Amino acid sequence: MSTAAQIRAEARAGDGTGAGDGARIRAKARRPWTPSQIVLTLLGAAVSAVFLAPLVWALFTSLKSETEAVEVPPHWLPKVWTTQAWSAIFETGNITNWFVNSLVVSVCVTAVVLSVSALAGYGFARTEFRGKGFLLGLVMTGLMVSPAVLGVPLFTTVQQMGMVDTYWGMILPQCAPAAMVYILYKFFQGIPRELEEAAFIDGAGRWRVFFTIVLPLSRPSLAAVGIFTFIASWNNFLWPYMVTNNPDLMTMPNGIATVMNSYGIQWAQLMAGGLMAGLPLIIVFVFFQRQIVAGVAHTGLAGQ
């Protein structure tokens, strides 16, 4: 019994020593900030304030009356807090319908772009076929063409196909993702071929390898492509404006612009509508910023 008691006493002493060592290690790890860290932190805070200032200004302006919103000199905080602008934007415009239209178009465009980009990028990265170099060069050429240049021929094509004032007319022309194909093509090139060859030896086919090995490894890049596509489609003003005349099919940017043109420039309502249109994008950046950074780091755009 004396031996067992001695062992327990030594164990308790050892635990106390280990806890003390851990506390000392944590104390040593808390080093004071260096001047470079302080400068970088202050610089980051300043940059964050610059980016947040327009959002804060828009929020405060949307809580002012229209008379107070145009006062000179302007002031940040409202003298009289009111939600008149928010109520007016809901009464004068079909905000709910525009929001649903934007969501439908953006989600459909994102789904189609992810499917097309993944298949095309994997095909260019892993298969050999006649005309591969020409087709890849054609895709790269698409990176140098501005979408505004293609507006007239695209509208003529959509009109001849009878898709004006339809969801498909807004969705399909946005599904030619040259940049997204290139991003996934560069990522697929970095996947070790040994993984696929081992699956081929086990009897797996090309499609099974693609869905069970390649796509699970590509989640960061697919997330980045999906987020970028959703943001671009949600913010797209020119193409839905060209192909849509029906007010019931307008997206958020087009609908808000129409309300402003009909009732004049009312800055409080304009700020309220802009905040509503940008709210989904803010949510995407807040909750998916890790996926965005990881996706860019894995696509070959950072450092390659």
Side-chain angles (χ1 to χ4, degrees):
M1 294 296 294
S2 59
T3 304
Q6 184 179 0
I7 292 174
R8 288 194 295 270
E10 290 177 355
R12 286 194 296 270
D15 292 341
T17 304
D21 292 340
R24 285 194 293 271
I25 291 173
R26 288 193 296 270
K28 290 180 180 179
R30 296 175 182 175
R31 298 176 181 177
W33 284 17
T34 61
S36 60
Q37 290 177 327
I38 295 175
V39 171
L40 290 176
T41 302
L42 293 176
L43 181 61
V47 173
S48 301
V50 170
F51 279 98
L52 288 175
L55 293 177
V56 176
W57 175 263
L59 178 60
F60 286 156
T61 303
S62 67
L63 297 175
K64 299 177 182 177
S65 63
E66 292 295 341
T67 304
E68 188 179 354
V70 296
E71 286 184 353
V72 178
H75 50 87
W76 279 81
L77 295 177
K79 297 177 182 178
V80 178
W81 297 78
T82 177
T83 58
Q84 179 182 359
W86 292 89
S87 301
I89 198 69
F90 275 98
E91 293 173 359
T92 58
N94 196 353
I95 296 295
T96 304
N97 198 17
W98 297 338
F99 188 90
V100 172
N101 291 337
S102 292
L103 189 62
V104 170
V105 172
S106 299
V107 170
C108 291
V109 169
T110 302
V112 174
V113 167
L114 280 175
S115 302
V116 173
S117 301
L119 293 172
Y122 182 72
F124 283 127
R126 284 294 189 264
T127 60
E128 297 295 334
F129 54 90
R130 182 176 299 179
K132 173 182 174 180
F134 172 77
L135 290 177
L136 186 58
L138 191 63
V139 172
M140 297 301 101
T141 304
L143 297 173
M144 298 180 287
V145 178
S146 173
V149 177
L150 303 176
V152 174
L154 279 176
F155 178 79
T156 303
T157 303
V158 169
Q159 188 179 34
Q160 292 176 351
M161 297 177 66
M163 292 192 299
V164 176
D165 282 336
T166 63
Y167 279 123
W168 289 115
M170 290 187 287
I171 293 170
L172 292 180
Q174 300 185 58
C175 297
M180 305 309 170
V181 171
Y182 178 74
I183 289 174
L184 293 180
Y185 162 70
K186 295 297 294 182
F187 177 80
F188 291 147
Q189 279 187 323
I191 296 178
R193 290 181 179 269
E194 290 78 8
L195 297 175
E196 299 174 63
E197 292 173 355
F200 290 145
I201 293 174
D202 291 338
R206 175 70 69 179
W207 286 104
R208 184 175 180 183
V209 170
F210 176 72
F211 284 109
T212 61
I213 296 177
V214 176
L215 287 185
L217 293 174
S218 308
R219 287 177 183 174
S221 297
L222 292 174
V225 168
I227 292 170
F228 294 152
T229 304
F230 182 86
I231 292 172
S233 178
W234 185 276
N235 286 331
N236 194 349
F237 172 83
L238 180 59
W239 178 249
Y241 181 78
M242 292 177 60
V243 78
T244 304
N245 297 318
N246 187 354
D248 294 332
L249 291 177
M250 288 183 176
T251 58
M252 284 289 290
N254 303 129
I256 293 173
T258 302
V259 170
M260 293 303 105
N261 290 334
S262 301
Y263 296 92
I265 301 178
Q266 300 183 14
W267 293 106
Q269 293 185 34
L270 181 62
M271 295 300 175
L275 286 173
M276 290 189 60
L279 182 60
L281 306 185
I282 296 174
I283 295 174
V284 167
F285 274 111
V286 169
F287 289 98
F288 297 99
Q289 55 183 331
R290 291 185 178 180
Q291 286 79 358
I292 295 174
V293 174
V296 173
H298 285 83
T299 53
L301 297 181
Q304 286 192 10

PDB file of all heavy atoms in Angstrom, residues 4 45 74 87-88 91 97 103 123 126 139 141 153 155 161 171 178 195-196 214 231 233 244 257-258 293 299:
ATOM      1  N   ALA A   4       2.004   1.880  -3.562  1.00  0.00           N
ATOM      2  CA  ALA A   4       0.928   2.439  -4.394  1.00  0.00           C
ATOM      3  C   ALA A   4       0.672   3.893  -4.036  1.00  0.00           C
ATOM      4  O   ALA A   4       0.451   4.740  -4.929  1.00  0.00           O
ATOM      5  CB  ALA A   4      -0.346   1.620  -4.220  1.00  0.00           C
ATOM      6  N   ALA A  45      -7.302  47.773 -40.202  1.00  0.00           N
ATOM      7  CA  ALA A  45      -8.481  48.451 -39.655  1.00  0.00           C
ATOM      8  C   ALA A  45      -8.883  49.638 -40.515  1.00  0.00           C
ATOM      9  O   ALA A  45     -10.077  49.885 -40.748  1.00  0.00           O
ATOM     10  CB  ALA A  45      -8.197  48.897 -38.223  1.00  0.00           C
ATOM     11  N   PRO A  74     -24.119  67.404 -45.769  1.00  0.00           N
ATOM     12  CA  PRO A  74     -24.703  66.149 -45.279  1.00  0.00           C
ATOM     13  C   PRO A  74     -24.183  65.801 -43.885  1.00  0.00           C
ATOM     14  O   PRO A  74     -23.155  66.305 -43.438  1.00  0.00           O
ATOM     15  CB  PRO A  74     -24.223  65.124 -46.319  1.00  0.00           C
ATOM     16  CG  PRO A  74     -22.956  65.698 -46.856  1.00  0.00           C
ATOM     17  CD  PRO A  74     -23.136  67.188 -46.844  1.00  0.00           C
ATOM     18  N   SER A  87     -40.533  51.504 -46.184  1.00  0.00           N
ATOM     19  CA  SER A  87     -41.952  51.259 -46.464  1.00  0.00           C
ATOM     20  C   SER A  87     -42.295  51.663 -47.895  1.00  0.00           C
ATOM     21  O   SER A  87     -43.045  50.955 -48.594  1.00  0.00           O
ATOM     22  CB  SER A  87     -42.828  52.039 -45.483  1.00  0.00           C
ATOM     23  OG  SER A  87     -42.540  51.669 -44.144  1.00  0.00           O
ATOM     24  N   ALA A  88     -41.734  52.791 -48.348  1.00  0.00           N
ATOM     25  CA  ALA A  88     -42.049  53.277 -49.699  1.00  0.00           C
ATOM     26  C   ALA A  88     -41.501  52.341 -50.768  1.00  0.00           C
ATOM     27  O   ALA A  88     -42.156  52.116 -51.798  1.00  0.00           O
ATOM     28  CB  ALA A  88     -41.480  54.690 -49.873  1.00  0.00           C
ATOM     29  N   GLU A  91     -43.852  49.569 -51.154  1.00  0.00           N
ATOM     30  CA  GLU A  91     -45.149  49.949 -51.702  1.00  0.00           C
ATOM     31  C   GLU A  91     -45.065  50.298 -53.184  1.00  0.00           C
ATOM     32  O   GLU A  91     -45.972  49.977 -53.951  1.00  0.00           O
ATOM     33  CB  GLU A  91     -45.704  51.150 -50.923  1.00  0.00           C
ATOM     34  CG  GLU A  91     -46.053  50.816 -49.471  1.00  0.00           C
ATOM     35  CD  GLU A  91     -46.440  52.050 -48.688  1.00  0.00           C
ATOM     36  OE1 GLU A  91     -46.409  53.151 -49.279  1.00  0.00           O
ATOM     37  OE2 GLU A  91     -46.762  51.925 -47.486  1.00  0.00           O
ATOM     38  N   ASN A  97     -41.143  39.948 -55.687  1.00  0.00           N
ATOM     39  CA  ASN A  97     -41.074  39.275 -56.981  1.00  0.00           C
ATOM     40  C   ASN A  97     -39.699  39.445 -57.609  1.00  0.00           C
ATOM     41  O   ASN A  97     -39.134  38.507 -58.185  1.00  0.00           O
ATOM     42  CB  ASN A  97     -42.151  39.843 -57.908  1.00  0.00           C
ATOM     43  CG  ASN A  97     -42.440  38.917 -59.082  1.00  0.00           C
ATOM     44  OD1 ASN A  97     -42.086  37.749 -59.058  1.00  0.00           O
ATOM     45  ND2 ASN A  97     -43.082  39.439 -60.103  1.00  0.00           N
ATOM     46  N   LEU A 103     -33.106  35.380 -57.468  1.00  0.00           N
ATOM     47  CA  LEU A 103     -32.668  34.136 -56.843  1.00  0.00           C
ATOM     48  C   LEU A 103     -32.781  32.967 -57.820  1.00  0.00           C
ATOM     49  O   LEU A 103     -31.856  32.147 -57.929  1.00  0.00           O
ATOM     50  CB  LEU A 103     -33.513  33.870 -55.601  1.00  0.00           C
ATOM     51  CG  LEU A 103     -33.049  32.729 -54.695  1.00  0.00           C
ATOM     52  CD1 LEU A 103     -31.668  33.028 -54.137  1.00  0.00           C
ATOM     53  CD2 LEU A 103     -34.048  32.524 -53.561  1.00  0.00           C
ATOM     54  N   GLY A 123     -12.363  17.434 -68.950  1.00  0.00           N
ATOM     55  CA  GLY A 123     -12.086  16.919 -70.287  1.00  0.00           C
ATOM     56  C   GLY A 123     -10.793  17.481 -70.864  1.00  0.00           C
ATOM     57  O   GLY A 123      -9.980  16.742 -71.445  1.00  0.00           O
ATOM     58  N   ARG A 126      -7.681  15.942 -68.663  1.00  0.00           N
ATOM     59  CA  ARG A 126      -7.370  14.521 -68.545  1.00  0.00           C
ATOM     60  C   ARG A 126      -7.579  13.704 -69.823  1.00  0.00           C
ATOM     61  O   ARG A 126      -7.185  12.548 -69.869  1.00  0.00           O
ATOM     62  CB  ARG A 126      -8.229  13.903 -67.435  1.00  0.00           C
ATOM     63  CG  ARG A 126      -7.759  14.249 -66.037  1.00  0.00           C
ATOM     64  CD  ARG A 126      -6.392  13.622 -65.786  1.00  0.00           C
ATOM     65  NE  ARG A 126      -5.982  13.743 -64.408  1.00  0.00           N
ATOM     66  CZ  ARG A 126      -5.190  14.699 -63.931  1.00  0.00           C
ATOM     67  NH1 ARG A 126      -4.729  15.626 -64.761  1.00  0.00           N
ATOM     68  NH2 ARG A 126      -4.854  14.723 -62.651  1.00  0.00           N
ATOM     69  N   VAL A 139     -11.537  28.706 -75.857  1.00  0.00           N
ATOM     70  CA  VAL A 139     -12.006  29.040 -74.516  1.00  0.00           C
ATOM     71  C   VAL A 139     -11.183  30.194 -73.943  1.00  0.00           C
ATOM     72  O   VAL A 139     -11.726  31.122 -73.331  1.00  0.00           O
ATOM     73  CB  VAL A 139     -11.922  27.808 -73.603  1.00  0.00           C
ATOM     74  CG1 VAL A 139     -12.226  28.190 -72.154  1.00  0.00           C
ATOM     75  CG2 VAL A 139     -12.906  26.744 -74.066  1.00  0.00           C
ATOM     76  N   THR A 141      -9.741  32.495 -75.604  1.00  0.00           N
ATOM     77  CA  THR A 141     -10.136  33.715 -76.312  1.00  0.00           C
ATOM     78  C   THR A 141     -11.363  34.348 -75.670  1.00  0.00           C
ATOM     79  O   THR A 141     -11.518  35.570 -75.648  1.00  0.00           O
ATOM     80  CB  THR A 141     -10.421  33.404 -77.788  1.00  0.00           C
ATOM     81  OG1 THR A 141      -9.279  32.779 -78.367  1.00  0.00           O
ATOM     82  CG2 THR A 141     -10.749  34.676 -78.566  1.00  0.00           C
ATOM     83  N   PRO A 153     -25.485  40.506 -80.707  1.00  0.00           N
ATOM     84  CA  PRO A 153     -25.714  39.180 -81.315  1.00  0.00           C
ATOM     85  C   PRO A 153     -26.430  38.211 -80.385  1.00  0.00           C
ATOM     86  O   PRO A 153     -27.249  37.399 -80.850  1.00  0.00           O
ATOM     87  CB  PRO A 153     -24.291  38.690 -81.640  1.00  0.00           C
ATOM     88  CG  PRO A 153     -23.380  39.540 -80.830  1.00  0.00           C
ATOM     89  CD  PRO A 153     -24.056  40.843 -80.670  1.00  0.00           C
ATOM     90  N   PHE A 155     -28.689  39.037 -78.126  1.00  0.00           N
ATOM     91  CA  PHE A 155     -30.102  39.424 -78.096  1.00  0.00           C
ATOM     92  C   PHE A 155     -30.801  38.983 -79.379  1.00  0.00           C
ATOM     93  O   PHE A 155     -31.951  38.517 -79.333  1.00  0.00           O
ATOM     94  CB  PHE A 155     -30.235  40.933 -77.934  1.00  0.00           C
ATOM     95  CG  PHE A 155     -31.658  41.410 -77.933  1.00  0.00           C
ATOM     96  CD1 PHE A 155     -32.451  41.289 -76.804  1.00  0.00           C
ATOM     97  CD2 PHE A 155     -32.218  41.966 -79.078  1.00  0.00           C
ATOM     98  CE1 PHE A 155     -33.771  41.704 -76.798  1.00  0.00           C
ATOM     99  CE2 PHE A 155     -33.536  42.389 -79.091  1.00  0.00           C
ATOM    100  CZ  PHE A 155     -34.311  42.268 -77.944  1.00  0.00           C
ATOM    101  N   MET A 161     -35.032  32.787 -81.133  1.00  0.00           N
ATOM    102  CA  MET A 161     -35.439  31.544 -80.479  1.00  0.00           C
ATOM    103  C   MET A 161     -36.706  31.719 -79.640  1.00  0.00           C
ATOM    104  O   MET A 161     -37.183  30.754 -79.029  1.00  0.00           O
ATOM    105  CB  MET A 161     -34.299  31.033 -79.590  1.00  0.00           C
ATOM    106  CG  MET A 161     -33.042  30.664 -80.356  1.00  0.00           C
ATOM    107  SD  MET A 161     -31.684  30.140 -79.270  1.00  0.00           S
ATOM    108  CE  MET A 161     -32.363  28.628 -78.584  1.00  0.00           C
ATOM    109  N   ILE A 171     -31.140  33.205 -68.448  1.00  0.00           N
ATOM    110  CA  ILE A 171     -30.214  32.244 -67.851  1.00  0.00           C
ATOM    111  C   ILE A 171     -29.176  31.752 -68.857  1.00  0.00           C
ATOM    112  O   ILE A 171     -27.961  31.813 -68.601  1.00  0.00           O
ATOM    113  CB  ILE A 171     -31.003  31.060 -67.267  1.00  0.00           C
ATOM    114  CG1 ILE A 171     -31.840  31.520 -66.076  1.00  0.00           C
ATOM    115  CG2 ILE A 171     -30.063  29.930 -66.857  1.00  0.00           C
ATOM    116  CD1 ILE A 171     -32.825  30.477 -65.576  1.00  0.00           C
ATOM    117  N   ALA A 178     -16.090  30.879 -69.658  1.00  0.00           N
ATOM    118  CA  ALA A 178     -14.701  30.659 -70.074  1.00  0.00           C
ATOM    119  C   ALA A 178     -13.747  30.738 -68.881  1.00  0.00           C
ATOM    120  O   ALA A 178     -12.866  29.890 -68.717  1.00  0.00           O
ATOM    121  CB  ALA A 178     -14.304  31.686 -71.135  1.00  0.00           C
ATOM    122  N   LEU A 195      -3.953   8.714 -58.453  1.00  0.00           N
ATOM    123  CA  LEU A 195      -5.240   8.404 -57.838  1.00  0.00           C
ATOM    124  C   LEU A 195      -6.220   7.836 -58.860  1.00  0.00           C
ATOM    125  O   LEU A 195      -6.921   6.852 -58.598  1.00  0.00           O
ATOM    126  CB  LEU A 195      -5.818   9.662 -57.185  1.00  0.00           C
ATOM    127  CG  LEU A 195      -5.015  10.274 -56.025  1.00  0.00           C
ATOM    128  CD1 LEU A 195      -5.668  11.578 -55.582  1.00  0.00           C
ATOM    129  CD2 LEU A 195      -4.942   9.300 -54.864  1.00  0.00           C
ATOM    130  N   GLU A 196      -6.258   8.444 -60.027  1.00  0.00           N
ATOM    131  CA  GLU A 196      -7.172   7.973 -61.064  1.00  0.00           C
ATOM    132  C   GLU A 196      -6.702   6.643 -61.640  1.00  0.00           C
ATOM    133  O   GLU A 196      -7.523   5.754 -61.930  1.00  0.00           O
ATOM    134  CB  GLU A 196      -7.276   9.025 -62.162  1.00  0.00           C
ATOM    135  CG  GLU A 196      -7.819  10.355 -61.667  1.00  0.00           C
ATOM    136  CD  GLU A 196      -7.779  11.422 -62.740  1.00  0.00           C
ATOM    137  OE1 GLU A 196      -8.467  11.248 -63.758  1.00  0.00           O
ATOM    138  OE2 GLU A 196      -7.058  12.425 -62.558  1.00  0.00           O
ATOM    139  N   VAL A 214     -12.539  12.743 -58.343  1.00  0.00           N
ATOM    140  CA  VAL A 214     -12.159  14.092 -58.763  1.00  0.00           C
ATOM    141  C   VAL A 214     -13.044  15.151 -58.118  1.00  0.00           C
ATOM    142  O   VAL A 214     -12.541  16.130 -57.545  1.00  0.00           O
ATOM    143  CB  VAL A 214     -12.209  14.199 -60.300  1.00  0.00           C
ATOM    144  CG1 VAL A 214     -11.904  15.627 -60.748  1.00  0.00           C
ATOM    145  CG2 VAL A 214     -11.207  13.235 -60.922  1.00  0.00           C
ATOM    146  N   ILE A 231     -22.475  35.560 -57.520  1.00  0.00           N
ATOM    147  CA  ILE A 231     -22.325  37.000 -57.320  1.00  0.00           C
ATOM    148  C   ILE A 231     -22.418  37.736 -58.651  1.00  0.00           C
ATOM    149  O   ILE A 231     -23.096  38.762 -58.769  1.00  0.00           O
ATOM    150  CB  ILE A 231     -20.990  37.295 -56.620  1.00  0.00           C
ATOM    151  CG1 ILE A 231     -21.030  36.767 -55.184  1.00  0.00           C
ATOM    152  CG2 ILE A 231     -20.687  38.791 -56.623  1.00  0.00           C
ATOM    153  CD1 ILE A 231     -19.696  36.847 -54.472  1.00  0.00           C
ATOM    154  N   SER A 233     -23.889  36.765 -61.439  1.00  0.00           N
ATOM    155  CA  SER A 233     -25.248  36.695 -61.978  1.00  0.00           C
ATOM    156  C   SER A 233     -26.198  37.602 -61.208  1.00  0.00           C
ATOM    157  O   SER A 233     -27.069  38.251 -61.793  1.00  0.00           O
ATOM    158  CB  SER A 233     -25.742  35.244 -61.950  1.00  0.00           C
ATOM    159  OG  SER A 233     -27.065  35.152 -62.429  1.00  0.00           O
ATOM    160  N   THR A 244     -35.497  41.656 -71.005  1.00  0.00           N
ATOM    161  CA  THR A 244     -36.733  41.606 -70.222  1.00  0.00           C
ATOM    162  C   THR A 244     -37.494  42.920 -70.344  1.00  0.00           C
ATOM    163  O   THR A 244     -36.953  43.990 -70.048  1.00  0.00           O
ATOM    164  CB  THR A 244     -36.431  41.333 -68.741  1.00  0.00           C
ATOM    165  OG1 THR A 244     -35.668  40.130 -68.642  1.00  0.00           O
ATOM    166  CG2 THR A 244     -37.710  41.169 -67.951  1.00  0.00           C
ATOM    167  N   ALA A 257     -33.810  50.086 -60.391  1.00  0.00           N
ATOM    168  CA  ALA A 257     -33.546  51.173 -61.346  1.00  0.00           C
ATOM    169  C   ALA A 257     -34.836  51.683 -61.971  1.00  0.00           C
ATOM    170  O   ALA A 257     -34.992  52.892 -62.198  1.00  0.00           O
ATOM    171  CB  ALA A 257     -32.595  50.687 -62.433  1.00  0.00           C
ATOM    172  N   THR A 258     -35.781  50.808 -62.234  1.00  0.00           N
ATOM    173  CA  THR A 258     -37.056  51.226 -62.810  1.00  0.00           C
ATOM    174  C   THR A 258     -37.851  52.084 -61.837  1.00  0.00           C
ATOM    175  O   THR A 258     -38.434  53.108 -62.214  1.00  0.00           O
ATOM    176  CB  THR A 258     -37.883  49.987 -63.202  1.00  0.00           C
ATOM    177  OG1 THR A 258     -37.145  49.205 -64.130  1.00  0.00           O
ATOM    178  CG2 THR A 258     -39.203  50.393 -63.824  1.00  0.00           C
ATOM    179  N   VAL A 293     -11.422  31.991 -50.132  1.00  0.00           N
ATOM    180  CA  VAL A 293      -9.958  32.028 -50.029  1.00  0.00           C
ATOM    181  C   VAL A 293      -9.362  30.672 -50.375  1.00  0.00           C
ATOM    182  O   VAL A 293      -8.384  30.576 -51.129  1.00  0.00           O
ATOM    183  CB  VAL A 293      -9.542  32.465 -48.610  1.00  0.00           C
ATOM    184  CG1 VAL A 293      -8.035  32.373 -48.440  1.00  0.00           C
ATOM    185  CG2 VAL A 293     -10.018  33.879 -48.341  1.00  0.00           C
ATOM    186  N   THR A 299      -6.952  26.965 -56.986  1.00  0.00           N
ATOM    187  CA  THR A 299      -7.251  27.004 -58.413  1.00  0.00           C
ATOM    188  C   THR A 299      -6.038  27.297 -59.266  1.00  0.00           C
ATOM    189  O   THR A 299      -6.115  27.225 -60.489  1.00  0.00           O
ATOM    190  CB  THR A 299      -8.308  28.089 -58.711  1.00  0.00           C
ATOM    191  OG1 THR A 299      -7.863  29.314 -58.166  1.00  0.00           O
ATOM    192  CG2 THR A 299      -9.642  27.700 -58.143  1.00  0.00           C
TER     193      THR A 299
END
